[in-house]
Every structure is written in C-alpha cells, then in structure tokens.
Amino acid sequence: MDLRLPHESELNVLRCLCMRKQRTLFRVGARHVSFILTAIVLATPVAAQKIELSVDVSKSGAKIDRNIFGQFAEHLGHGIYDGIWVGPDSTIPNTRGIRNDVVAALKAIKVPNVRWPGGCFADEYHWRNGVGPQRAVTLNPNWGGVIEPNAFGTHEFMDFLDQIGAEAYVSVNVGAGTPREAAEWLEYMTTAQPTTLAKERGASGHPGPYKVGYLGIGNESWDCGGNMTPDYYLSQLKIYSRFVRNYNPAQQDKEQMLRIAVGPGGGEPRWTEWTDTIMKAYQQHTWSWDMNGLSMHSYTVGHWPPSYKSVGFGDAEYSQILKFTLDMEDLIHKHSAIMDKYDPEKKVALVVDEWGAWYAPLPGSNPGFLVQQNSVRDAILAALNLNIFARHADRVRMANIAQMINVLQSMIMTDKEKMVLTPTYYVFKMYVPFQDATFVPVSFDAGTYTSGDASLPRIDAIAAKDTTGKLWLEITNVDPNQPADVEVNLAGISAKSVSGQTLTAPKVDSVNTFDIPNSVVPKPISAKVQAGKILLKLEPKSVNVISFE
Ligand code: AHR
C-alpha cells in the first residue's frame, strides 16, 4: 500500500448523484387537500419507486486502499485491558496474554492497521513505562483517572498485531514528550544495529527489528494534545519529522514509514486555517522534513456533550444521526480542496484516523470509559462513511474507526470471558472484498427518505473490482420502513448469477448482546438475474454486499 501515490484522480467524476441530489417522493399540502384526505394519505404507506442503478465496469477509478478499514485502539476504558489484554495467567483463553477470541474475530475482518496508544492518551504516554520486566504503574488522567498498569506496552502491541496480521500505526507523544523520547522509541523498535536500545529490545524477547508502517506525530495538538496554534504545531512537526527515524533495513526502500501530521477536527475556519498552514508548509518543504498524511478527526455526535442514546431510540433519532454522519462528505470535500491547492498530485493522504458514532455513555458505566451500544443504525452509519471514503479514494487512503473494542463505535464488546460482535463488525466483514479493490463509478437517483426535519438519500451505493477482477456492489437502504426494489444495469460484463449478504434487523435500535448475540448478523440476500439485469429487493435499513459471476 502506498499512501503517497494515488491512482488516477478522475475516478470519482461519475460519482453517484445520491449525496447532494434529493428528491421528495410525495407531498401532501394542507392548502390544497382537505384535512381528512391528508390524514388518509399520510397514514397509507406509499409504495416506494423502483431504483435504477447503473454500473459501467469499463470505467474505473482509484484503488480503495485497504487501510481505510483501519482500527483505533487507545488505552481508554476496557479498550485494551479486558478487551485485548487479559494477561498470560488469565483463565480466559489467551496467547501470551492476548485474548484468543478477539484475535480470531479480528483476523476474520482482515484489519489492515491499528492506531495505538491513543488518542489523547498518546500525548501523555511514556514508552519506557511499557517495556521491560518491571512496569511502572501510572495514571490515565484523560480517561477516568484510573490506574494504567503498563502491562500492555510496545512488545505486547506488536505481538497483538502479529497475531491479527495488521500493521503498526504508532502515535508518538508530542504534547508531554520530547523529540528525543520519540526518537529513542523508534530506535528501540526499528534498529537492526547492536545499539544499547536494540539489545534491550532483544533482552525483552525480540532481537529483530519491528516494522512500524505509520507514524502519527501527535494527536489533536489543537486540543488535548497541547492546545497548540497551527504555527507552533508546524514547528513541532518539522522537528519530529526530522529526528524520529525508522531504522528498519526492510523499510528503507519500498516500505518506508509514512509520517502523518495532525490535521483538522471539523469544518470551521480554525480547521481550514490549520489545514492551510500545514499544507502550505508541505508545498515548500525541503529535504530535511516530510509528511505523507494529514490526519482528520470527525465523530458523528450531533452536539457536544454526546447526548444521543445508543439504544432505546426511534426513527427520529435514527434519521438525525444519519443526517449528521453525511456531513463527512462535505468535510472531506472541504479539506481535500485545500490539499489540492498545495498538493495537486495528491501525494499527501487525508487520513481520517478517528471517526464513528459518539453517543451518551450507557447508564451505569464509567463516563470516562465511553461505553455505548452498537445497533443497526451504526451498521448503516459505518456503511455510509466507508462509501464516502471509497468515493474519495484518491485522497482518503487511510481511516481508523474509533474504537476497536469496548469503546465508542466498536467492532467487539467483551465482558470478562464473554465476547459479542457488533453490527459494525459485520459491516467491516462484509466489506472485506473492497480492500484494495478498484473503484467503479455507479450512477443512480437515490430518491429521498424524510423523517421530521431530516431528509436523507433513500439509498447509497458503491461498486469496485477486486484484485481478481470480480465486481462487487454495496447498496445501503437507509429508509427504516420501506424495502427498496433495485434494478442494476451492468455495462461491460454480463452476469450469469448474483449472490451476496444483507445485514438488518427488525428495529432501528436492534443490537447484539452477550445473551442474544445473533440479532444483527448477515444473511443471504434475495437477488436474481433477469434479461441481463439484476433485480434486488433490499430490506429496510439494510447494508447489502453482492458480487457477480
Ligand atoms: O476516541 C476518543 C478521543 O477522541 C481520543 O482520545 C481523542 O483523540 C478524541 O478527542
């Protein structure tokens, strides 16, 4: 994978009409129709129109980098401790302290990279506390002020990555650390030379160098990472970029470590100014510093502090949250435009390394642990965001959902020996064929789903050719009540058969629990080929992935 070298950029030209174009299916005006008639019409479900969708396989766009399916694991609540790490003496089945059930589940979704150790935690993390036989016991002031045992440190993280088959995205401490501390950490992890730090690494069980694919230089340095101005951060970026080196001999040529700078956290002027400052400097950068990615954080929260419930809500909250999540499109558009100004060749990736739903903490949980449920709404939300990233694949070449286990919009929830896979997990599983696939434009008129003040595209869709040339199509039916009849017209291939999976459940807030873990799981989809067209009936509020033979 190469964050720096995009494929052709014209791919998105034929991008679907859905995000910006919205069409109301029926209108009942009180001025023109009597009250009684209005009431009857509103009470009668109106058959939704068939949606026609066209895919021309001869046209193709950018590679959908597998790194957009990246994960984020912070020392926060039960994200690491209990979620990944139980320790070698635990009765929970583990390999060198790392849960076997969690590893097996993550392997199945082919996690490309994991961002660690934070988040806000990263800017107060001192790596030396997490290596060697005697670990310092410290505090986690950001997240509940709890004890941080440092039992899960560099070696445990790398072992975990090895077990799940993912690459390391390490965020170094710019806020409360020093360039020297970060430089020594990288030397510890990556040098093959017999330095004192390398010998120490060997004594801890890993004589060979580790691979560090991605280096995050700070986290939200405009806020929890030190409240820096764009110019102040830029000075730090140059220093860390210069001195925090990767020495791994295998990473000096093709697999060079990619440096990711702190970027914006929204669309307001302070964020556009931030992006402008960093990208302008990048355009003028000299040999002595470089960057390959600009981070962007955007949560679907509604309003701060997070107050939307993660379970026990209805159609109104379903639609409002999904409406908020579609802001990701404008945000990417806005910051990509600034990046294009200074980097028209798209060498610098936009790295959405914190995204997902952020709801009110579950009642009874520690508010500092960011525990929330994960419902059908989150499955739809995940699909909509992944589709936005795919449509911007020429610039968005990496993303990390927040967070992997037990925190915010997680893949997995654990409780002691129990584990449950969330609806979001299943979306990531269904999207595996899109990893490193080539974007294929899809055109359709999405129609509109309206609930209260929120109007949303009724459907969303992306298509891509995988590395074997097989065509995959994802269609999300956003409407929580109406099925969608979809007719797919394929140009460039003639499909003989179609198969796929659908993910939905009876209610907008259906969840998987430890007791009932299979309420929201993928099932085979009903689809047929007729006169060269593909006919599908999509369940309300469903994520659907199909492929063609
Ligand atoms: O994901 C939780 C927190 O959200 C992260 O620590 C921080 O970077 C962001 O504000």
Side-chain angles (χ1 to χ4, degrees), residues 50-53 473 475 484-490 495 497-499 525-538 546 548:
K50 186 174 74 181
I51 291 177
E52 285 188 36
L53 200 139
L473 180 63
I475 315 177
D485 285 311
V486 178
E487 184 180 291
V488 183
N489 301 297
L490 293 174
S497 66
V498 56
S499 60
I525 200 167
S526 117
K528 60 180 176 188
V529 184
Q530 193 176 294
K533 296 182 175 194
I534 316 299
L535 305 180
L536 301 155
K537 193 175 202 65
L538 307 180
I546 57 176
F548 307 91

Side-chain angles (χ1 to χ4, degrees), residues 72 74 76 115 119-121 143 219-220 224 297 299 354 358 370 402-403 408:
F72 173 35
E74 180 167 18
L76 192 175
R115 178 172 181 252
C120 298
F121 181 85
W143 305 117
N219 170 76
E220 298 191 355
C224 72
H297 291 181
Y299 286 97
E354 286 189 31
W358 190 327
L370 312 186
Q403 298 192 4
L408 299 176

Side-chain angles (χ1 to χ4, degrees), residues 363-375:
S365 67
N366 182 334
F369 284 10
L370 312 186
V371 181
Q372 61 190 43
Q373 250 300 356
N374 198 297
S375 68

